[in-house]
Amino acid sequence: PNAGYYISSVKVDGVDQSLNGAKDGSYTLPAIENVTKNIDVTVTANPKMTITISAASAEKVYDGKSLTSSDYTISGTTVDLTDCIKVSVSGTITDAGSAENVVSCDTKGHDYMFNVINKVNGKLTVTKRDAVITVNNAQKIYGESDPVFVKGYSVTGLVNAADLGDIKVVRENSTEKAGSYDDVLNANYTENPNYNVTVNKGDFVINKASNLKVSVADQNFMYDAKSHSIPLDSAVSFKATGSDEVSYKIYADSAASKEIENKFTDAGVYNVWVQASDANHNTAMAAAKVTVSPREVVMTSGSSEREKNGKALKNDKITVTGDGFADGEGASYDVTGSQTSVGSSDNTFDYTLKSNTIASNYSIKKVYGKLKVTKNDDSSSDSSSGSSSSDKSSSSKSVAEKTSAVLGDKKAPESDGDDGDSGVLGDRDTPNTGDSANIVVWLSILLASGASIVSIIAALARRKRED
């Protein structure tokens, strides 16, 4: 055949002949015996082929098993080359990564059929497997050691349980204060190139301890116009450690719904609840009673005694004893006691508290002094506030006798308090001798003096009856 061609078939009288002897496109017809007729020989020549043999590529996720593929394709011709060429593909991979899938061929002596045989290797790829470690959440109570996280996780996606070695859970923060800490529990494992490992971290909670105790003694104070408080520094029997500080609140009810100040001023009994808390402990409460006692105040009016002198006996002095009033507080007093006649009576009084003084802060007791009027040695009266009518009559007579006078006598003062000079009854400037009006004047004086004496006697008698 012409260059670039090869003999693809030979037929003798329509019968295909074996081409085993065909090389380099030449063919030698074997000898034919007993030829009695013409022989028809048909030779078919085809152009030489340029073909490409491609090995298959393959990919999978790591599963611990080897990956192989013997598949291939031949392109560039439509001729069935099954009997003319033998193709083999070799390649394998197990761990994550890639490897060539190598193609080779044997033309079995049919090289003359081909111009070029291209061989393209395939690729075998094993991708990493996804594995997920999920760390369990954990907790402890403040002050305790961390728990042992032996089985504190779950894992999915492993081909073999030991592919990541000995998995251990660790806490990545070191704080010991009560609180919730997200994503601080991690997993340590042995790296494996066949896996993409994802760790879902766990949360760690340090719960508040419940060993905070509160003990508050009842408090007793006396009202002093100052505020008093419960001494809370010594209220907690358990002290928090480190920099944690206990805080306190005072409530008016055990449900802690109404907070009040730790100040108690006015007298009364206060039933309160003390709540203590800190960052690392549950709150604790204790009941307490705060008693502010009222001050005892004794008001005593003064006592006096004297002989009767016709004037009212009074004593305006008030003495305050007992606990007394708190600084800046007090009362004003109105003493109403009075004694004039012979006898005794309570020195009564009333009081009015100052505007800044609250009555309920005090227990006030009034004590009346005594006003006593005794007999005057010069007086014939022996009566007291309970004298009989005959005594009163005698007393009136005595008074009348004491106050009787005649013209020209020295006149006594009208009362014990009269500081005027004594004079002569009917006395006046002496008229000049021979004054014609003197007689009329003297008669007028006599009449006026008599009327005055009668009025005085009547007044004294009336006072005696009233006494």
Side-chain angles (χ1 to χ4, degrees), residues 346-367:
D346 291 336
N347 189 15
T348 57
F349 66 92
D350 292 317
Y351 65 89
T352 301
L353 296 177
K354 291 181 179 179
S355 59
N356 66 339
T357 305
I358 301 173
S360 58
N361 289 327
Y362 294 91
S363 176
I364 298 176
K365 179 181 180 181
K366 293 168 62 176
V367 177

Side-chain angles (χ1 to χ4, degrees), residues 307-309 340-343 373-388 390-399 401-402 460 463-465 467:
E307 292 181 347
K308 178 182 177 183
N309 64 359
T340 302
S341 61
V342 174
V373 175
T374 61
K375 292 180 180 179
N376 190 321
D377 291 342
D378 295 334
S379 172
S380 60
S381 171
D382 123 46
S383 64
S384 64
S385 58
S387 301
S388 66
S390 61
D391 290 336
K392 292 179 181 178
S393 175
S394 173
S395 175
S396 297
K397 180 179 179 182
S398 174
V399 171
E401 290 173 350
K402 285 182 68 177
L460 290 173
R463 182 182 296 176
K464 184 65 176 178
R465 286 194 302 272
D467 291 342

Side-chain angles (χ1 to χ4, degrees), residues 40-61:
D40 183 18
V41 177
T42 302
V43 178
T44 302
N46 288 334
K48 290 185 177 182
M49 295 178 286
T50 297
I51 64 172
T52 299
I53 304 174
S54 299
S57 293
E59 180 177 330
K60 73 172 182 178
V61 176

Side-chain angles (χ1 to χ4, degrees), residues 126-207:
V126 175
T127 60
K128 291 184 177 183
R129 190 177 190 87
D130 291 332
V132 179
I133 301 173
T134 300
V135 179
N136 300 333
N137 297 332
Q139 60 183 348
K140 72 172 184 176
I141 296 175
Y142 172 77
E144 295 181 350
S145 299
D146 283 1
V148 179
F149 308 110
V150 175
K151 295 183 179 179
Y153 68 92
S154 61
V155 60
T156 58
L158 296 182
V159 174
N160 299 299
D163 281 353
L164 297 181
D166 185 13
I167 301 173
K168 293 182 178 180
V169 174
V170 294
R171 181 156 77 100
E172 294 182 323
N173 71 330
S174 59
T175 183
E176 289 299 325
K177 293 184 177 181
S180 180
Y181 304 95
D182 296 340
D183 297 334
V184 298
L185 297 181
N186 201 355
N188 288 341
Y189 58 92
T190 302
E191 292 286 347
N192 189 321
N194 293 315
Y195 291 93
N196 289 315
V197 180
T198 300
V199 177
N200 295 326
K201 295 182 178 182
D203 302 334
F204 191 61
V205 176
I206 301 178
N207 296 307

